Amino acid sequence: MVYVVEMDVNIPESWNEEKVADYITREKACSQGHQQSGKWVYLWRVAGKYSNISVLDVEGPDELHRIVSSLPLFPYMTIKVTSICKHPNALKETMI
């Protein structure tokens, strides 16, 4: 199943620079691991916001939740998930 996942990150203002840097480093490693596995197909930054729009191709909602909740910043995100499927008018078989 293919999902579009919009993630808005809300790091607590009380965190010091070292804690923020640690989370960002771990977040990068975790998300890149999922990208290398082929499950996290696309990752785009939303200009002007601490947000991203991603496309994940996973077995189903349980795997999607496992991947997204593995992110270190998961507790500090507002997440919107949209399940997508092939459109009958699309010229390409698949976008992935």
Side-chain angles (χ1 to χ4, degrees), residues 35 43 83:
Q35 290 173 70
L43 173 59
S83 178

Side-chain angles (χ1 to χ4, degrees), residues 31-48:
S31 67
Q32 287 182 344
H34 293 304
Q35 290 173 70
Q36 290 169 345
S37 77
K39 298 292 183 173
W40 197 318
V41 182
Y42 297 107
L43 173 59
W44 292 284
R45 172 173 285 160
V46 177

